[in-house]
Amino acid sequence: MLRRTLLATAALGLGMALSGGAAMAARMDKVKACFIYVGPIGDGGWTFQHHEGALAVQAAYGDKVEIQWQETVPEGADSERVMTQMALGGCNIIFTTSFGYMDPTNAVAAKFPDVKFEHATGYKREHPNVSTYNARFYEGRAVQGHIAGKMTKSNKIGYIGSFPIPEVVSGINSYFLHAKKANPNVELSVVWAYTWFDPAKEADAAKALIDQGVDVIAAHTDSTAPLAEAAKTEGVIGFGQASDMAAYKDGPRVSSIIDNWAPYYVKRVGQLLDGTYEQTDSWEGIAAGEVEIGEITDKVPADVKAEALALRDAIAAGTYHPFTGPINKQDGSVWLTEGQTASDGDILGMNFYVEGITGDIPQ
């Protein structure tokens, strides 16, 4: 994943100067919008939610839009081949929906300057026809962390990480900080799955956490497997990730982070139709509706639910930032002073744990 390169340059991602020549696209009468997914549509999580966004595009524009997709495309050379096939097949805009598609996206975009490429969660826009979009997942993790801190009975909470990249690390830090505010005795364990989608590995990671005494689990992976594993042990709760995962509402799921990509997809395809499309870098969160907090179930006491919703609303209103000092880094050095908030660049390049989290971030 070229993590060193990512950490050196991710902080430049948001607001990075766009290269010259990013003029508006010509108005189009019909758009063929194509989507590449890292997992299956039926994963119940990340890919499912992206596909819901694709279907929203079709519903919004009817016969003015044709959608096409390919699921379960591995990151790397396979994805470059699929992108090339889509470009040759007449796709006007291609949404590449996983972090590891970043370099292939830019490589293929160089060969097809008239095709628009949109890369999810990345930061490289090496050509005028490449845009990037992301969601402020760390905002939702703050709300989950508050619930976790209040709900744990063992004072041990857990987090399943996919890959040690800033997007994931910032979520871990936000989750822990807000759990710690809610419950000073809380301890966090992190298990790295080294996959976006592999239900067996995700389930193994959840089981490892439960075996350590963890009774609240959050995950930054793509399937429902962590909740399915949590359901096997009485007293363990968790959160839906990327999608609502409502099938587990009567079991361990007490809330969720929902990635609502539909407004972005509808907007970008609409801009091709009306001729206002330009290269962009988008990073929205709770305020814009791109990060939603799923229903908080009755397993959560009313006062905790009210506190969690108040935190969500404060983030949405801009009156609270999840990374507000004082916050120290894991080694005890000062990161943010009293009242200071983290810059977008700091969050996009986050390569450290905050004080109180044990263990190392894998290199």
Side-chain angles (χ1 to χ4, degrees):
M1 304 218 54
L2 299 178
R3 185 165 181 270
R4 291 181 180 174
T5 301
L6 183 143
L7 295 177
T9 55
L12 300 176
L14 195 73
M16 179 176 166
L18 301 180
S19 56
M24 286 188 183
R27 184 186 181 103
M28 300 181 67
D29 294 326
K30 184 169 183 177
V31 171
K32 185 174 182 179
C34 300
F35 298 81
I36 298 177
Y37 304 137
V38 73
I41 293 168
D43 68 358
W46 177 262
T47 292
F48 172 81
Q49 205 63 30
H50 281 282
H51 192 58
E52 288 292 290
L55 295 177
V57 171
Q58 185 72 80
Y61 299 114
D63 59 8
K64 290 184 178 180
V65 171
E66 176 188 352
I67 64 169
Q68 178 185 326
W69 65 88
Q70 187 157 336
E71 54 190 322
T72 316
V73 178
E75 296 171 329
D78 285 341
S79 68
E80 188 166 338
R81 175 182 53 79
V82 172
M83 290 174 210
T84 300
Q85 290 174 342
M86 284 184 167
L88 291 171
C91 296
N92 304 116
I93 186 168
I94 301 173
F95 294 91
T96 63
T97 65
S98 190
F99 178 82
Y101 294 156
M102 181 163 56
D103 288 334
T105 297
N106 282 275
V108 178
K111 302 172 186 176
F112 297 93
D114 294 330
V115 178
K116 307 305 179 189
F117 291 81
E118 297 262 350
H119 179 234
T121 74
Y123 57 88
K124 289 184 180 179
R125 297 176 299 282
E126 296 175 348
H127 310 285
N129 58 329
V130 178
S131 292
T132 48
Y133 62 104
N134 204 344
R136 296 180 183 267
F137 306 117
Y138 67 88
E139 294 181 347
R141 297 301 182 194
V143 179
Q144 289 186 344
H146 181 84
I147 295 171
K150 290 288 188 177
M151 293 293 289
T152 179
K153 293 179 172 59
S154 66
N155 290 329
K156 294 181 179 180
I157 63 173
Y159 201 105
I160 300 171
S162 45
F163 294 97
I165 60 175
E167 171 193 322
V168 179
V169 174
S170 65
I172 292 170
N173 283 334
S174 181
Y175 180 70
F176 173 73
L177 285 169
H178 291 84
K180 194 77 170 175
K181 285 182 180 181
N183 177 0
N185 297 316
V186 81
E187 298 176 358
L188 176 68
S189 297
V190 179
V191 172
W192 294 98
Y194 296 101
T195 183
W196 293 114
F197 177 80
D198 187 323
K201 289 183 179 179
E202 295 172 61
D204 286 345
K207 186 176 187 305
L209 289 169
I210 293 167
D211 288 346
Q212 296 174 41
V214 164
D215 61 358
V216 186
I217 298 174
H220 196 138
T221 50
D222 291 358
S223 84
T224 60
L227 284 174
E229 189 63 34
K232 298 176 182 178
T233 303
E234 183 70 28
V236 176
I237 62 172
F239 302 95
Q241 157 62 13
S243 294
D244 197 32
M245 301 188 177
Y248 291 88
K249 272 202 242 184
D250 293 332
R253 176 217 166 277
V254 295
S255 187
S256 58
I257 290 178
I258 303 169
D259 306 336
N260 182 15
W261 302 109
Y264 183 79
Y265 289 161
V266 170
K267 177 178 71 174
R268 295 300 274 165
V269 172
Q271 288 170 342
L272 277 182
L273 287 167
D274 66 21
T276 61
Y277 184 97
E278 293 182 289
Q279 183 185 41
T280 191
D281 177 30
S282 175
W283 196 27
E284 300 288 359
I286 290 176
E290 196 161 289
V291 175
E292 299 177 345
I293 303 301
E295 177 190 352
I296 300 174
T297 70
D298 291 340
K299 280 191 176 181
V300 179
D303 60 333
V304 176
K305 178 178 179 178
E307 291 164 359
L309 293 177
L311 177 58
R312 177 201 65 185
D313 293 346
I315 294 170
T319 57
Y320 177 74
H321 192 293
F323 293 117
T324 300
I327 301 174
N328 291 342
K329 294 183 178 182
Q330 186 182 45
D331 62 8
S333 62
V334 174
W335 176 39
L336 299 172
T337 59
E338 180 74 39
Q340 182 183 9
T341 58
S343 69
D344 283 348
D346 282 347
I347 300 169
L348 286 164
M350 194 172 286
N351 63 345
F352 59 87
Y353 284 147
V354 294
E355 190 172 45
I357 298 179
T358 58
D360 298 321
I361 299 173
Q363 299 299 313

